[in-house]
Amino acid sequence: MGYLTFLRFSIYLVFLVNAGSWPFVWHIRVFWPIIEARLRFLLLRASLLFKSPSERKRIVAESVEALCPVGANPFELVTVYRRWASIDDVDMFGMHLSNSSYAKALDSARLRVMWKAFPAWSVSRGVIALGATHYHFIREIPIFARYEVRISIAAWDQKWVYVIARYVTPPKRRRTDKAIANGAITTHDQSPVDSDTNISPPSHSSLNGTATSNTNGFISETDKLEKTLTEALAATNKRSRTPIVEPDGSVLHCIAVSQLCFKQGRISVPPALALACEGFCNPPPPPVGSSTESGSVPTKYSASNPPPHWAKVRDMRVPPTGSMKRFKEFLAGGWKTSAEETGDRWWEEALSGPIEERRKKNLEVLHALRTGMEGVRALY
């Protein structure tokens, strides 16, 4: 009886420690942001049961608009997804996070980007298809360690948007400060603030529509993409154990580059169009007569102070002039007709100037990665 009890206990224990790999756990974890949002919208519609149809449509449309990161810079938004290296996620020989678990965590993190940064696109039933992902492993994540996947938009071209994921472990403050002072670790320019597992625009509101002042998200002001990748490659090439550390003390373990495509049905949508339709844009120009010496700072765009192109977006989506159906038709090809007839490509203008300059610079680095991998295919 003692043997059977021990055997039964061992089976229960194995079953329990592998809870993260139970059937449908991965699906729930990945699709939970969508499930949660759908439930929230169902409750909203139920609360509007006794409203007129036109009023219901208007309120639902406005609730979607409230989620959009109006006025945000696409390079300054980072999604933080937190996980820990559980037993079912680690390589039992090396006792560290297995390579396959990096992809599993990235699946969940990417979908949070889709819903948090592109709420209107998600409601329109648009799809963000994965074209490729490239991983660069720098330093192992030990068993039971807590880690974060920090995702940011790096660049885009006419078809693809490139997303950078950085796997980091939180800092051990005393040890990190001492190591930085002694020069035992290297840092790069990335300035996080304490955050929850979501994304936050730099100004008027968080993506759940509540007021915030940059306290609920990780915001990068000087994300040096090329420098980060160079440091990571240098650390690997030298076989150095010197960790790459961000200013908050987090240690960089892996970099992943994902190549994504916006799809409405079978039609590819330019990433610039998708970004502008969510409210991403350049900051406003300085007021006339202002100067940096005088200390005057231009106001930021927000839902209450929207960018110039935002009226066109709302005209497509929000009743009485617009609807989600009309928005979908625009995304599915209407933008081409509109550009040909009027010559107005407002989505490109919204992301011109400093954003366009940075996009081109980052794209050079990312295209080199893409063409290099495509060149590998020709070797055999």
Side-chain angles (χ1 to χ4, degrees), residues 28 32-33 51 80 228 245 254 264 287 289 291-292 301 321 363 378:
I28 295 172
W32 180 250
K51 299 283 186 180
V80 180
T228 302
V245 179
C254 174
Q264 276 287 343
S291 63
T292 54
Y301 287 132
T321 58
L363 195 60

Side-chain angles (χ1 to χ4, degrees), residues 316-376:
M316 284 188 296
R317 282 202 303 244
V318 181
T321 58
S323 65
M324 191 55 67
K325 180 181 179 181
R326 182 184 170 192
F327 179 56
K328 290 176 65 175
E329 291 172 352
F330 179 78
L331 293 174
W335 61 272
K336 290 183 180 179
T337 305
S338 175
E340 291 172 357
E341 292 177 351
T342 65
D344 184 12
R345 303 177 73 89
W346 49 263
W347 52 93
E348 293 180 355
E349 184 178 349
L351 298 169
S352 60
I355 288 183
E356 175 64 9
E357 293 175 6
R358 184 169 177 181
R359 181 194 72 85
K360 288 180 177 179
K361 183 178 179 181
N362 289 357
L363 195 60
E364 291 179 6
V365 179
L366 294 163
H367 266 177
L369 173 63
R370 177 183 169 188
T371 54
M373 294 304 297
E374 290 175 348
V376 170

Side-chain angles (χ1 to χ4, degrees), residues 203-284:
S203 56
H204 65 288
S205 65
S206 67
L207 292 180
N208 60 10
T210 57
T212 183
S213 298
N214 297 340
T215 57
N216 295 327
F218 172 91
I219 299 177
S220 164
E221 302 244 341
T222 55
D223 183 22
K224 305 293 186 180
L225 172 63
E226 187 171 3
K227 184 178 179 182
T228 302
L229 295 176
T230 302
E231 286 179 348
L233 289 170
T236 302
N237 292 337
K238 294 178 182 178
R239 298 184 182 276
S240 172
R241 299 302 297 167
T242 302
I244 300 174
V245 179
E246 301 192 345
D248 70 334
S250 299
V251 177
L252 182 65
H253 294 264
C254 174
I255 294 176
V257 180
S258 295
Q259 184 179 321
L260 306 170
C261 179
F262 292 91
K263 289 280 190 179
Q264 276 287 343
R266 297 181 61 85
I267 299 174
S268 296
V269 178
L273 178 61
L275 287 164
C277 285
E278 300 296 339
F280 291 103
C281 64
N282 272 305

Side-chain angles (χ1 to χ4, degrees), residues 66 79 83 141 153 197 260 309 344:
T79 303
R83 292 281 299 154
I141 297 177
I153 297 172
T197 311
L260 306 170
H309 77 280
D344 184 12

